[in-house]
Amino acid sequence: GNSVTQMEGPVTLSEEAFLTINCTYTATGYPSLFWYVQYPGEGLQLLLKATKADDKGSNKGFEATYRKETTSFHLEKGSVQVSDSAVYFCALRDGTGGFKTIFGAGTRLFVKA
Amino acid sequence: SAVISQKPSRDICQRGTSLTIQCQVDSQVTMMFWYRQQPGQSLTLIATANQGSEATYESGFVIDKFPISRPNLTFSTLTVSNMSPEDSSIYLCSVGGQSYQETQYFGPGTRLLVL
């Protein structure tokens, strides 16, 4: 079945550091890939997405490229801020299994001033 | 994108009781999903609720414990029945289009604590 694996947290960085959160997936078809963010005490928000191979999703300085050859969708940001402290979820959605979204375990990010 | 509201936003309940969570969407949607997020964990799909058909439950979730209604294209309810402390979680309503390229959007969640 489909699955998403992302790096374990927590990840602790200083402000302005470079961020990478690794995400790999297993899917029988050709899924769309998503990064969601959950700020403390809030629900999930879509951060970015990519719907086909080699697409790059970007938003708020975050980027991720859909790599079919390595089945990866790593999240990157060049300079993190304290306000980026949150839990980040990698996810996939495809046409099998009723179009449901499958989530990774989540990676908690702490950014220190 | 869809705007989703949930009621209640949080509740504290006694074991053995039931709670019904409401989900309202600002537009008509075909597919609605209910997820559970246990403390510090990822999201687990409980069931998919499409209007006009019975909800489809994921492995480990049963209708007697989590009955779902979907009376129209903008509304759904999830009931957590005969609650125990293990049911303490955030319950999230979600909507998504019938294309895998479309994003699923999430409500703010209902934070449930069972004593």
Side-chain angles (χ1 to χ4, degrees), chain A residues 30-32 34 36 38-46 49 51-52 89 93-95 97-106 108, chain B residues 10 31 33 35 37 40-45 48 58 90 92 94-109 111:
Chain A
Y30 299 94
S32 293
F34 304 84
Y36 285 87
Q38 187 174 37
Y39 297 102
E42 298 185 14
L44 263 72
Q45 301 175 26
L46 176 69
K49 73 176 188 181
T51 59
K52 61 183 187 296
F89 292 94
R93 191 178 192 216
D94 73 2
F99 297 99
K100 61 192 176 192
T101 298
I102 295 171
F103 289 86
R108 183 175 295 276
Chain B
R10 60 180 67 235
M31 307 187 78
F33 306 87
Y35 284 81
Q37 186 179 24
Q41 303 296 314
S42 186
L43 281 77
T44 301
L45 181 66
T48 301
E58 297 296 303
I90 300 173
L92 296 114
S94 174
V95 302
Q98 284 186 294
S99 164
Y100 71 94
Q101 296 178 328
E102 293 188 42
T103 304
Q104 259 185 254
Y105 293 95
F106 289 81
R111 286 162 173 75

Short mmCIF file of all heavy atoms in Angstrom, two decimals, chain A residues 30-32 34 36 38-46 49 51-52 89 93-95 97-106 108, chain B residues 10 31 33 35 37 40-45 48 58 90 92 94-109 111:
data_model
loop_
_atom_site.label_atom_id
_atom_site.label_comp_id
_atom_site.label_asym_id
_atom_site.label_seq_id
_atom_site.Cartn_x
_atom_site.Cartn_y
_atom_site.Cartn_z
N TYR A 30 0.66 7.29 -9.55
CA TYR A 30 1.41 8.54 -9.71
C TYR A 30 0.74 9.60 -8.83
O TYR A 30 -0.12 10.34 -9.30
CB TYR A 30 1.43 8.96 -11.17
CG TYR A 30 2.10 7.93 -12.04
CD1 TYR A 30 1.34 6.95 -12.69
CD2 TYR A 30 3.48 7.90 -12.18
CE1 TYR A 30 1.96 5.99 -13.47
CE2 TYR A 30 4.10 6.94 -12.96
CZ TYR A 30 3.33 5.98 -13.60
OH TYR A 30 3.94 5.02 -14.36
N PRO A 31 1.16 9.67 -7.59
CA PRO A 31 0.43 10.52 -6.64
C PRO A 31 0.76 11.99 -6.79
O PRO A 31 1.75 12.37 -7.43
CB PRO A 31 0.93 10.00 -5.29
CG PRO A 31 2.34 9.57 -5.57
CD PRO A 31 2.29 8.97 -6.96
N SER A 32 -0.05 12.80 -6.18
CA SER A 32 0.31 14.18 -5.89
C SER A 32 0.93 14.20 -4.50
O SER A 32 0.57 13.39 -3.64
CB SER A 32 -0.92 15.09 -5.92
OG SER A 32 -1.42 15.18 -7.23
N PHE A 34 2.29 16.55 -1.07
CA PHE A 34 1.93 17.76 -0.33
C PHE A 34 2.82 17.90 0.90
O PHE A 34 3.28 16.91 1.48
CB PHE A 34 0.47 17.67 0.17
CG PHE A 34 -0.54 17.43 -0.92
CD1 PHE A 34 -0.81 16.15 -1.36
CD2 PHE A 34 -1.22 18.49 -1.49
CE1 PHE A 34 -1.74 15.91 -2.37
CE2 PHE A 34 -2.16 18.27 -2.49
CZ PHE A 34 -2.41 16.98 -2.93
N TYR A 36 2.07 19.81 4.52
CA TYR A 36 1.16 20.54 5.38
C TYR A 36 1.93 21.02 6.60
O TYR A 36 2.89 20.37 7.04
CB TYR A 36 0.01 19.66 5.84
CG TYR A 36 -1.04 19.36 4.80
CD1 TYR A 36 -0.89 18.29 3.92
CD2 TYR A 36 -2.20 20.13 4.70
CE1 TYR A 36 -1.85 18.01 2.96
CE2 TYR A 36 -3.18 19.85 3.76
CZ TYR A 36 -2.99 18.79 2.89
OH TYR A 36 -3.96 18.50 1.95
N GLN A 38 1.41 22.47 10.70
CA GLN A 38 0.50 22.61 11.84
C GLN A 38 1.20 23.45 12.89
O GLN A 38 2.12 22.99 13.56
CB GLN A 38 0.12 21.25 12.40
CG GLN A 38 -0.95 21.28 13.47
CD GLN A 38 -1.39 19.90 13.90
OE1 GLN A 38 -0.59 18.98 13.97
NE2 GLN A 38 -2.68 19.74 14.17
N TYR A 39 0.75 24.70 13.04
CA TYR A 39 1.29 25.58 14.07
C TYR A 39 0.69 25.20 15.42
O TYR A 39 -0.40 24.62 15.48
CB TYR A 39 1.02 27.04 13.72
CG TYR A 39 1.70 27.47 12.44
CD1 TYR A 39 0.99 27.60 11.25
CD2 TYR A 39 3.08 27.72 12.42
CE1 TYR A 39 1.62 27.96 10.08
CE2 TYR A 39 3.71 28.09 11.24
CZ TYR A 39 2.98 28.20 10.08
OH TYR A 39 3.61 28.56 8.91
N PRO A 40 1.36 25.52 16.50
CA PRO A 40 0.89 25.12 17.82
C PRO A 40 -0.57 25.51 18.06
O PRO A 40 -0.95 26.67 17.89
CB PRO A 40 1.83 25.87 18.76
CG PRO A 40 3.09 26.03 17.98
CD PRO A 40 2.65 26.25 16.56
N GLY A 41 -1.37 24.53 18.44
CA GLY A 41 -2.77 24.77 18.77
C GLY A 41 -3.69 25.00 17.60
O GLY A 41 -4.86 25.35 17.79
N GLU A 42 -3.18 24.79 16.38
CA GLU A 42 -3.99 25.06 15.20
C GLU A 42 -4.19 23.80 14.36
O GLU A 42 -3.59 22.76 14.61
CB GLU A 42 -3.34 26.14 14.35
CG GLU A 42 -3.20 27.48 15.07
CD GLU A 42 -2.67 28.57 14.17
OE1 GLU A 42 -2.64 28.38 12.94
OE2 GLU A 42 -2.27 29.61 14.70
N GLY A 43 -5.04 23.92 13.35
CA GLY A 43 -5.27 22.81 12.44
C GLY A 43 -4.21 22.77 11.34
O GLY A 43 -3.24 23.52 11.36
N LEU A 44 -4.41 21.88 10.38
CA LEU A 44 -3.45 21.72 9.30
C LEU A 44 -3.69 22.75 8.20
O LEU A 44 -4.82 23.01 7.81
CB LEU A 44 -3.57 20.33 8.67
CG LEU A 44 -2.59 19.31 9.18
CD1 LEU A 44 -2.97 18.90 10.58
CD2 LEU A 44 -2.54 18.10 8.27
N GLN A 45 -2.58 23.29 7.70
CA GLN A 45 -2.66 24.20 6.56
C GLN A 45 -1.80 23.65 5.44
O GLN A 45 -0.70 23.14 5.69
CB GLN A 45 -2.12 25.58 6.93
CG GLN A 45 -2.82 26.27 8.07
CD GLN A 45 -2.13 27.57 8.42
OE1 GLN A 45 -1.47 28.19 7.59
NE2 GLN A 45 -2.28 28.01 9.65
N LEU A 46 -2.27 23.77 4.22
CA LEU A 46 -1.44 23.39 3.09
C LEU A 46 -0.27 24.37 2.97
O LEU A 46 -0.47 25.59 2.95
CB LEU A 46 -2.25 23.40 1.80
CG LEU A 46 -1.46 23.12 0.53
CD1 LEU A 46 -0.99 21.67 0.50
CD2 LEU A 46 -2.28 23.45 -0.71
N LYS A 49 2.48 22.10 -2.74
CA LYS A 49 2.17 20.81 -3.34
C LYS A 49 2.82 20.71 -4.71
O LYS A 49 3.22 21.73 -5.31
CB LYS A 49 0.67 20.59 -3.46
CG LYS A 49 -0.02 21.41 -4.54
CD LYS A 49 -1.50 21.02 -4.62
CE LYS A 49 -2.17 21.67 -5.81
NZ LYS A 49 -3.62 21.32 -5.87
N THR A 51 2.16 18.11 -8.31
CA THR A 51 1.24 17.09 -8.82
C THR A 51 1.86 16.15 -9.86
O THR A 51 1.23 15.16 -10.25
CB THR A 51 -0.01 17.73 -9.43
OG1 THR A 51 0.41 18.60 -10.49
CG2 THR A 51 -0.78 18.51 -8.39
N LYS A 52 3.07 16.44 -10.31
CA LYS A 52 3.71 15.50 -11.23
C LYS A 52 5.22 15.60 -11.09
O LYS A 52 5.75 16.55 -10.51
CB LYS A 52 3.29 15.78 -12.67
CG LYS A 52 3.64 17.13 -13.21
CD LYS A 52 3.09 17.26 -14.63
CE LYS A 52 3.57 18.54 -15.29
NZ LYS A 52 3.07 19.74 -14.61
N PHE A 89 4.12 18.05 7.98
CA PHE A 89 3.67 16.73 7.55
C PHE A 89 3.82 16.61 6.04
O PHE A 89 3.29 17.43 5.29
CB PHE A 89 2.20 16.50 7.90
CG PHE A 89 1.91 16.39 9.36
CD1 PHE A 89 1.52 17.51 10.08
CD2 PHE A 89 2.01 15.18 10.01
CE1 PHE A 89 1.24 17.42 11.44
CE2 PHE A 89 1.74 15.07 11.36
CZ PHE A 89 1.34 16.19 12.08
N ARG A 93 -1.46 11.87 -2.14
CA ARG A 93 -2.85 11.57 -2.49
C ARG A 93 -2.83 11.00 -3.90
O ARG A 93 -2.20 11.58 -4.78
CB ARG A 93 -3.70 12.82 -2.43
CG ARG A 93 -5.19 12.57 -2.52
CD ARG A 93 -6.00 13.84 -2.40
NE ARG A 93 -7.42 13.53 -2.20
CZ ARG A 93 -8.42 14.23 -2.69
NH1 ARG A 93 -8.19 15.31 -3.43
NH2 ARG A 93 -9.67 13.88 -2.47
N ASP A 94 -3.49 9.86 -4.09
CA ASP A 94 -3.60 9.36 -5.46
C ASP A 94 -4.98 8.79 -5.70
O ASP A 94 -5.86 8.87 -4.85
CB ASP A 94 -2.48 8.37 -5.78
CG ASP A 94 -2.67 7.02 -5.12
OD1 ASP A 94 -3.68 6.80 -4.42
OD2 ASP A 94 -1.79 6.17 -5.30
N GLY A 95 -5.17 8.26 -6.87
CA GLY A 95 -6.50 7.83 -7.27
C GLY A 95 -6.93 6.49 -6.72
O GLY A 95 -8.08 6.10 -6.87
N GLY A 97 -7.64 3.78 -3.59
CA GLY A 97 -8.08 3.82 -2.21
C GLY A 97 -8.98 4.97 -1.85
O GLY A 97 -8.99 5.43 -0.71
N GLY A 98 -9.74 5.47 -2.84
CA GLY A 98 -10.74 6.47 -2.50
C GLY A 98 -10.21 7.88 -2.36
O GLY A 98 -10.84 8.70 -1.69
N PHE A 99 -9.11 8.20 -2.97
CA PHE A 99 -8.59 9.58 -3.00
C PHE A 99 -8.26 10.12 -1.62
O PHE A 99 -8.21 11.33 -1.44
CB PHE A 99 -9.60 10.52 -3.67
CG PHE A 99 -9.86 10.20 -5.11
CD1 PHE A 99 -10.98 9.48 -5.48
CD2 PHE A 99 -8.97 10.60 -6.08
CE1 PHE A 99 -11.22 9.17 -6.81
CE2 PHE A 99 -9.20 10.30 -7.42
CZ PHE A 99 -10.33 9.59 -7.78
N LYS A 100 -7.99 9.27 -0.69
CA LYS A 100 -7.66 9.79 0.63
C LYS A 100 -6.21 10.24 0.67
O LYS A 100 -5.37 9.76 -0.10
CB LYS A 100 -7.91 8.72 1.70
CG LYS A 100 -7.07 7.48 1.50
CD LYS A 100 -7.56 6.36 2.40
CE LYS A 100 -6.78 5.08 2.12
NZ LYS A 100 -7.41 3.91 2.76
N THR A 101 -5.90 11.14 1.56
CA THR A 101 -4.53 11.62 1.76
C THR A 101 -3.88 10.80 2.86
O THR A 101 -4.47 10.58 3.91
CB THR A 101 -4.53 13.10 2.12
OG1 THR A 101 -5.09 13.84 1.04
CG2 THR A 101 -3.11 13.59 2.38
N ILE A 102 -2.67 10.36 2.58
CA ILE A 102 -1.89 9.58 3.54
C ILE A 102 -0.76 10.45 4.05
O ILE A 102 -0.04 11.06 3.25
CB ILE A 102 -1.37 8.30 2.90
CG1 ILE A 102 -2.55 7.39 2.55
CG2 ILE A 102 -0.42 7.56 3.84
CD1 ILE A 102 -2.18 6.20 1.72
N PHE A 103 -0.57 10.48 5.36
CA PHE A 103 0.38 11.38 5.99
C PHE A 103 1.59 10.63 6.53
O PHE A 103 1.50 9.49 7.00
CB PHE A 103 -0.29 12.12 7.15
CG PHE A 103 -1.28 13.14 6.70
CD1 PHE A 103 -2.60 12.77 6.44
CD2 PHE A 103 -0.91 14.46 6.51
CE1 PHE A 103 -3.52 13.70 6.01
CE2 PHE A 103 -1.83 15.40 6.08
CZ PHE A 103 -3.13 15.01 5.83
N GLY A 104 2.71 11.33 6.51
CA GLY A 104 3.87 10.87 7.25
C GLY A 104 3.68 11.16 8.73
O GLY A 104 2.68 11.74 9.16
N ALA A 105 4.66 10.78 9.52
CA ALA A 105 4.55 10.87 10.97
C ALA A 105 4.64 12.30 11.48
O ALA A 105 4.28 12.58 12.63
CB ALA A 105 5.64 10.02 11.63
N GLY A 106 5.14 13.21 10.66
CA GLY A 106 5.30 14.60 11.09
C GLY A 106 6.69 14.84 11.66
O GLY A 106 7.28 13.97 12.30
N ARG A 108 8.65 17.77 13.93
CA ARG A 108 8.53 19.01 14.71
C ARG A 108 9.79 19.84 14.54
O ARG A 108 10.91 19.34 14.69
CB ARG A 108 8.29 18.70 16.18
CG ARG A 108 8.07 19.94 17.05
CD ARG A 108 7.72 19.56 18.48
NE ARG A 108 6.44 18.87 18.55
CZ ARG A 108 5.25 19.48 18.60
NH1 ARG A 108 5.18 20.80 18.57
NH2 ARG A 108 4.15 18.77 18.68
N ARG B 10 -13.60 22.28 21.34
CA ARG B 10 -13.01 21.42 22.34
C ARG B 10 -14.08 20.98 23.33
O ARG B 10 -15.10 21.64 23.47
CB ARG B 10 -11.85 22.10 23.07
CG ARG B 10 -12.22 23.36 23.81
CD ARG B 10 -11.00 23.97 24.50
NE ARG B 10 -10.02 24.45 23.57
CZ ARG B 10 -8.74 24.06 23.58
NH1 ARG B 10 -8.31 23.18 24.44
NH2 ARG B 10 -7.88 24.58 22.71
N MET B 31 -16.60 14.75 -1.42
CA MET B 31 -15.87 13.87 -0.53
C MET B 31 -15.55 14.58 0.79
O MET B 31 -15.00 15.68 0.80
CB MET B 31 -14.57 13.40 -1.18
CG MET B 31 -14.76 12.80 -2.56
SD MET B 31 -13.26 12.08 -3.22
CE MET B 31 -13.22 10.54 -2.32
N PHE B 33 -13.91 13.64 4.76
CA PHE B 33 -13.10 12.66 5.49
C PHE B 33 -13.06 13.06 6.96
O PHE B 33 -13.05 14.25 7.30
CB PHE B 33 -11.67 12.64 4.95
CG PHE B 33 -11.56 12.43 3.46
CD1 PHE B 33 -11.62 13.52 2.60
CD2 PHE B 33 -11.38 11.18 2.93
CE1 PHE B 33 -11.51 13.34 1.22
CE2 PHE B 33 -11.26 10.99 1.56
CZ PHE B 33 -11.33 12.07 0.71
N TYR B 35 -10.63 12.45 10.33
CA TYR B 35 -9.34 11.97 10.78
C TYR B 35 -9.26 12.09 12.31
O TYR B 35 -9.92 12.93 12.93
CB TYR B 35 -8.20 12.82 10.19
CG TYR B 35 -7.89 12.55 8.74
CD1 TYR B 35 -8.64 13.12 7.72
CD2 TYR B 35 -6.80 11.75 8.39
CE1 TYR B 35 -8.34 12.88 6.39
CE2 TYR B 35 -6.47 11.52 7.06
CZ TYR B 35 -7.25 12.08 6.07
OH TYR B 35 -6.94 11.86 4.75
N GLN B 37 -6.22 12.59 15.32
CA GLN B 37 -4.82 12.88 15.61
C GLN B 37 -4.62 12.73 17.10
O GLN B 37 -5.01 13.59 17.89
CB GLN B 37 -4.44 14.29 15.14
CG GLN B 37 -2.96 14.58 15.30
CD GLN B 37 -2.58 15.96 14.82
OE1 GLN B 37 -3.39 16.87 14.77
NE2 GLN B 37 -1.31 16.13 14.47
N GLY B 40 0.56 14.15 19.91
CA GLY B 40 1.91 14.00 19.40
C GLY B 40 2.05 13.08 18.21
O GLY B 40 3.17 12.74 17.82
N GLN B 41 0.94 12.70 17.61
CA GLN B 41 0.98 11.72 16.51
C GLN B 41 0.54 12.35 15.19
O GLN B 41 0.12 13.51 15.14
CB GLN B 41 0.04 10.54 16.83
CG GLN B 41 0.35 9.83 18.13
CD GLN B 41 1.71 9.16 18.09
OE1 GLN B 41 2.07 8.49 17.13
NE2 GLN B 41 2.49 9.37 19.14
N SER B 42 0.65 11.54 14.15
CA SER B 42 0.19 11.98 12.84
C SER B 42 -1.32 11.77 12.72
O SER B 42 -1.99 11.39 13.68
CB SER B 42 0.94 11.20 11.76
OG SER B 42 0.61 11.71 10.47
N LEU B 43 -1.83 12.03 11.53
CA LEU B 43 -3.26 11.89 11.29
C LEU B 43 -3.58 10.48 10.81
O LEU B 43 -2.89 9.96 9.92
CB LEU B 43 -3.70 12.89 10.22
CG LEU B 43 -3.90 14.32 10.69
CD1 LEU B 43 -2.57 15.02 10.85
CD2 LEU B 43 -4.79 15.08 9.73
N THR B 44 -4.64 9.94 11.36
CA THR B 44 -5.13 8.62 10.95
C THR B 44 -6.54 8.78 10.42
O THR B 44 -7.41 9.34 11.11
CB THR B 44 -5.14 7.65 12.14
OG1 THR B 44 -3.80 7.54 12.66
CG2 THR B 44 -5.62 6.27 11.71
N LEU B 45 -6.79 8.26 9.25
CA LEU B 45 -8.12 8.37 8.65
C LEU B 45 -9.07 7.41 9.35
O LEU B 45 -8.78 6.22 9.49
CB LEU B 45 -8.05 8.04 7.15
CG LEU B 45 -9.37 8.13 6.38
CD1 LEU B 45 -9.87 9.57 6.34
CD2 LEU B 45 -9.19 7.61 4.96
N THR B 48 -14.31 7.74 5.26
CA THR B 48 -14.66 8.63 4.16
C THR B 48 -16.17 8.69 4.08
O THR B 48 -16.84 7.64 4.08
CB THR B 48 -14.09 8.09 2.83
OG1 THR B 48 -12.68 7.99 2.96
CG2 THR B 48 -14.43 9.02 1.68
N GLU B 58 -12.03 2.84 7.77
CA GLU B 58 -10.70 2.27 7.66
C GLU B 58 -10.55 1.13 8.67
O GLU B 58 -11.32 1.01 9.64
CB GLU B 58 -9.65 3.33 7.91
CG GLU B 58 -9.68 4.45 6.88
CD GLU B 58 -9.34 3.98 5.48
OE1 GLU B 58 -8.25 3.39 5.29
OE2 GLU B 58 -10.18 4.19 4.58
N ILE B 90 -7.51 14.83 18.84
CA ILE B 90 -8.08 15.88 18.01
C ILE B 90 -8.78 15.17 16.85
O ILE B 90 -8.18 14.30 16.21
CB ILE B 90 -7.01 16.83 17.48
CG1 ILE B 90 -6.27 17.51 18.63
CG2 ILE B 90 -7.64 17.89 16.56
CD1 ILE B 90 -5.08 18.34 18.19
N LEU B 92 -10.50 15.72 13.20
CA LEU B 92 -10.47 16.70 12.12
C LEU B 92 -11.37 16.28 10.97
O LEU B 92 -11.32 15.13 10.52
CB LEU B 92 -9.05 16.88 11.59
CG LEU B 92 -8.06 17.46 12.58
CD1 LEU B 92 -6.99 16.45 12.92
CD2 LEU B 92 -7.41 18.72 12.02
N SER B 94 -12.29 16.93 7.00
CA SER B 94 -11.52 17.32 5.82
C SER B 94 -12.36 17.15 4.57
O SER B 94 -13.21 16.26 4.51
CB SER B 94 -10.26 16.45 5.74
OG SER B 94 -9.55 16.68 4.55
N VAL B 95 -12.11 17.98 3.58
CA VAL B 95 -12.81 17.85 2.30
C VAL B 95 -11.80 17.84 1.17
O VAL B 95 -10.71 18.42 1.28
CB VAL B 95 -13.82 19.00 2.09
CG1 VAL B 95 -14.83 19.03 3.22
CG2 VAL B 95 -13.14 20.34 1.94
N GLY B 96 -12.16 17.16 0.10
CA GLY B 96 -11.27 17.11 -1.05
C GLY B 96 -12.01 16.75 -2.30
O GLY B 96 -13.01 16.03 -2.25
N GLY B 97 -11.53 17.22 -3.42
CA GLY B 97 -12.18 16.94 -4.68
C GLY B 97 -11.88 15.54 -5.18
O GLY B 97 -11.05 14.82 -4.64
N GLN B 98 -12.60 15.15 -6.22
CA GLN B 98 -12.46 13.80 -6.78
C GLN B 98 -11.36 13.76 -7.82
O GLN B 98 -11.53 13.19 -8.90
CB GLN B 98 -13.78 13.33 -7.36
CG GLN B 98 -14.77 12.91 -6.31
CD GLN B 98 -16.02 12.32 -6.91
OE1 GLN B 98 -16.77 13.00 -7.58
NE2 GLN B 98 -16.25 11.05 -6.68
N SER B 99 -10.25 14.37 -7.49
CA SER B 99 -9.07 14.27 -8.32
C SER B 99 -7.88 14.22 -7.38
O SER B 99 -7.80 15.00 -6.42
CB SER B 99 -8.94 15.49 -9.23
OG SER B 99 -7.63 15.57 -9.76
N TYR B 100 -6.97 13.32 -7.65
CA TYR B 100 -5.82 13.19 -6.74
C TYR B 100 -4.92 14.41 -6.79
O TYR B 100 -4.08 14.59 -5.92
CB TYR B 100 -5.03 11.93 -7.09
CG TYR B 100 -4.25 12.02 -8.39
CD1 TYR B 100 -2.91 12.41 -8.39
CD2 TYR B 100 -4.85 11.71 -9.60
CE1 TYR B 100 -2.20 12.50 -9.58
CE2 TYR B 100 -4.14 11.79 -10.78
CZ TYR B 100 -2.82 12.18 -10.77
OH TYR B 100 -2.13 12.27 -11.94
N GLN B 101 -5.11 15.26 -7.79
CA GLN B 101 -4.30 16.47 -7.86
C GLN B 101 -4.85 17.58 -6.97
O GLN B 101 -4.17 18.58 -6.73
CB GLN B 101 -4.22 16.95 -9.30
CG GLN B 101 -3.51 15.97 -10.22
CD GLN B 101 -3.48 16.45 -11.66
OE1 GLN B 101 -4.40 17.12 -12.11
NE2 GLN B 101 -2.43 16.11 -12.38
N GLU B 102 -6.06 17.41 -6.50
CA GLU B 102 -6.66 18.44 -5.68
C GLU B 102 -6.24 18.28 -4.23
O GLU B 102 -6.08 17.17 -3.73
CB GLU B 102 -8.18 18.39 -5.80
CG GLU B 102 -8.70 18.77 -7.17
CD GLU B 102 -10.20 18.87 -7.18
OE1 GLU B 102 -10.77 19.43 -6.22
OE2 GLU B 102 -10.82 18.38 -8.15
N THR B 103 -6.11 19.41 -3.57
CA THR B 103 -5.70 19.43 -2.17
C THR B 103 -6.87 19.04 -1.28
O THR B 103 -8.01 19.37 -1.56
CB THR B 103 -5.23 20.83 -1.81
OG1 THR B 103 -4.19 21.22 -2.71
CG2 THR B 103 -4.73 20.91 -0.37
N GLN B 104 -6.57 18.33 -0.22
CA GLN B 104 -7.53 18.14 0.85
C GLN B 104 -7.38 19.28 1.82
O GLN B 104 -6.26 19.65 2.20
CB GLN B 104 -7.29 16.82 1.60
CG GLN B 104 -8.20 15.70 1.18
CD GLN B 104 -8.01 14.46 2.01
OE1 GLN B 104 -7.44 13.48 1.56
NE2 GLN B 104 -8.49 14.49 3.23
N TYR B 105 -8.51 19.87 2.24
CA TYR B 105 -8.48 20.96 3.20
C TYR B 105 -9.05 20.47 4.53
O TYR B 105 -9.93 19.61 4.56
CB TYR B 105 -9.28 22.15 2.68
CG TYR B 105 -8.63 22.77 1.47
CD1 TYR B 105 -9.02 22.42 0.18
CD2 TYR B 105 -7.58 23.68 1.61
CE1 TYR B 105 -8.40 22.96 -0.93
CE2 TYR B 105 -6.95 24.22 0.51
CZ TYR B 105 -7.36 23.85 -0.76
OH TYR B 105 -6.73 24.38 -1.85
N PHE B 106 -8.54 21.06 5.61
CA PHE B 106 -8.87 20.57 6.94
C PHE B 106 -9.54 21.64 7.77
O PHE B 106 -9.21 22.83 7.68
CB PHE B 106 -7.59 20.10 7.65
CG PHE B 106 -7.05 18.83 7.07
CD1 PHE B 106 -6.28 18.85 5.92
CD2 PHE B 106 -7.36 17.61 7.64
CE1 PHE B 106 -5.81 17.67 5.36
CE2 PHE B 106 -6.89 16.43 7.09
CZ PHE B 106 -6.13 16.47 5.95
N GLY B 107 -10.48 21.17 8.59
CA GLY B 107 -11.07 22.04 9.58
C GLY B 107 -10.10 22.28 10.73
O GLY B 107 -9.03 21.66 10.79
N PRO B 108 -10.48 23.14 11.67
CA PRO B 108 -9.59 23.50 12.78
C PRO B 108 -9.46 22.39 13.82
O PRO B 108 -8.58 22.45 14.68
CB PRO B 108 -10.26 24.73 13.38
CG PRO B 108 -11.70 24.58 13.02
CD PRO B 108 -11.72 23.92 11.68
N GLY B 109 -10.34 21.40 13.75
CA GLY B 109 -10.25 20.28 14.69
C GLY B 109 -11.10 20.47 15.93
O GLY B 109 -11.45 21.59 16.31
N ARG B 111 -10.88 19.29 19.84
CA ARG B 111 -9.99 18.70 20.85
C ARG B 111 -10.82 18.06 21.93
O ARG B 111 -11.56 18.75 22.64
CB ARG B 111 -9.08 19.79 21.42
CG ARG B 111 -8.00 20.19 20.45
CD ARG B 111 -7.36 21.53 20.78
NE ARG B 111 -6.23 21.78 19.90
CZ ARG B 111 -6.31 22.13 18.63
NH1 ARG B 111 -7.49 22.29 18.06
NH2 ARG B 111 -5.22 22.34 17.92
#
